[in-house]
Amino acid sequence: AQSDGEVMEMMADDTIIGNAYAEFGIDGESWEYEVILTAFFADDGQYCLTTQAALDRFVEVTGAEVTGTSTGSEEQPAEVSGFSDVSADAWYAGYVETVAEKGLFSGNEDGTFAPEANMTYAQFLVVLSQFSGDAIPGAEGAWYQGYVNWAEEADLIPAGVGESFNPDAAITRQDMAALFGSFLNTYDHSGETVNSGETSFADAGSIADYAADGVQICYQLGIMSGKDGSVFDPMGTATRAEVAVTMVQMARIMER
C-alpha cells in the first residue's frame, strides 16, 4: 500500500487456508516497512492480527475505513526479542535485545529470559565462549561439560576459581572479573581504556588476590563498575540482566 492508499500487489488470495505473513509500509518502492501484519485465511473470511498502534498507522496512511471491534482485552506491554518476561520499558531491555540479536544469550524453553535469575558459572562460560571464535566440541556428561573443558584447556579458569568451581552455582562478581581478565589476556581484543588509574573500591581489601587483576582490567575497560557506596561487592552475585550489560561491553571490546 502506497502513501496514497493504492494497493500495488496482493500477496495472496482468498483461496488460501492457513497462515500467511504480509508486510505493510508507507513506501512501496523503497520497501521500508514499518509493521508486520500476520494474516490468517479461514473458510469464513480473512483475519489480520496486529496491534492497535499498527492499525492506527494503517488507517492514517491509507485512509481505509475500519469496521468491527477488537477483542476488548487490554494491550500487553511490548516484549523484547520475544521474551515474555522482558518488557520494552525495563531498564535492561536494550541490553537484552542486543545480546539476543548477537546470539550471546538464549532464552528458556518457555520463552522467558529470566532477567532476575542468578547467572551460573556454566551459563557464564557459555556466553563467554561466544567471543572466542573457537569451536566448542561436545562432551559426555552435563550439557555444559564441553564449555568447561574449553575453558580449562584454554587455561581461562584461575586457580582460585577452580578450587571451589561449581558449574551450577551462582557466579560471584569477583569470579566473573577473574574469568574476564584471563579471557582478555588470552584472546586479542581492541579495548581502549575507559577508566584510567587504579581502582579505588571501598571494599578492595575483600577482593581475592586471584581476582584483583581481573577487577582492574574490567574497571579500566568499562566492563564492570562498582555499586552504591563505591564498593565492588566481590562476593555478590549477578543476575542475567546484569550480565547482559557486561556482555554488551564485551561485544564492544571484542568488536563483535
Side-chain angles (χ1 to χ4, degrees), residues 1 3 9 14 19 28 42 47 64 73 76 114 116 175 199 203 211 216 218 222 227 235 240 249:
S3 57
E9 179 180 2
D14 58 7
N19 289 319
Y47 301 88
S73 60
Q76 298 299 312
E116 302 301 330
D175 284 0
T199 60
D203 57 351
Q216 177 66 22
C218 285
K227 294 187 174 183
M235 295 304 295
R240 285 169 56 83
Q249 302 306 323

Side-chain angles (χ1 to χ4, degrees), residues 220-240:
Q220 289 182 331
L221 296 179
I223 300 174
M224 298 177 70
S225 58
K227 294 187 174 183
D228 292 342
S230 299
V231 299
F232 184 75
D233 188 20
M235 295 304 295
T237 56
T239 66
R240 285 169 56 83

Side-chain angles (χ1 to χ4, degrees), residues 181-207:
S182 58
F183 180 89
L184 291 167
N185 286 328
T186 300
Y187 293 88
D188 292 334
H189 65 86
S190 59
E192 297 181 359
T193 299
V194 174
N195 301 307
S196 59
E198 298 292 321
T199 60
S200 57
F201 296 117
D203 57 351
S206 299
I207 298 173

Side-chain angles (χ1 to χ4, degrees), residues 22-199:
E23 295 170 299
F24 158 71
I26 61 174
D27 187 345
E29 297 299 324
S30 68
W31 295 82
E32 294 179 354
Y33 294 106
E34 287 194 339
V35 296
I36 296 178
L37 310 179
T38 301
F40 179 76
F41 297 86
D43 289 324
D44 60 347
Q46 176 182 340
Y47 301 88
C48 189
L49 309 179
T50 185
T51 64
Q52 186 62 51
L55 180 60
D56 291 343
R57 181 61 174 151
F58 183 87
V59 171
E60 176 187 351
V61 172
T62 65
E65 181 179 354
V66 178
T67 60
T69 60
S70 64
T71 60
S73 60
E74 295 183 3
E75 187 172 352
Q76 298 299 312
E79 298 172 357
V80 171
S81 297
F83 296 123
S84 61
D85 58 347
V86 179
S87 173
D89 59 0
W91 67 267
Y92 47 76
Y95 297 101
V96 170
E97 184 172 24
T98 297
V99 296
E101 289 176 349
K102 292 180 178 294
L104 301 176
F105 273 69
S106 60
N108 299 315
E109 292 182 356
D110 61 359
T112 62
F113 182 81
E116 302 301 330
N118 282 327
M119 192 79 170
T120 68
Y121 283 85
Q123 291 170 342
F124 186 80
L125 290 181
V126 172
V127 178
L128 192 62
S129 72
Q130 304 304 310
F131 295 106
S132 69
D134 299 337
I136 311 299
E140 295 183 358
W143 64 268
Y144 50 73
Q145 192 58 53
Y147 297 95
V148 174
N149 293 345
W150 159 78
E152 291 177 339
E153 291 171 3
D155 199 25
L156 299 181
I157 303 178
V161 176
E163 289 176 359
S164 57
F165 183 74
N166 179 359
D168 292 316
I171 191 169
T172 63
R173 284 172 52 82
Q174 70 175 9
D175 284 0
M176 279 179 54
L179 287 166
F180 271 134
S182 58
F183 180 89
L184 291 167
N185 286 328
T186 300
Y187 293 88
D188 292 334
H189 65 86
S190 59
E192 297 181 359
T193 299
V194 174
N195 301 307
S196 59
E198 298 292 321
T199 60

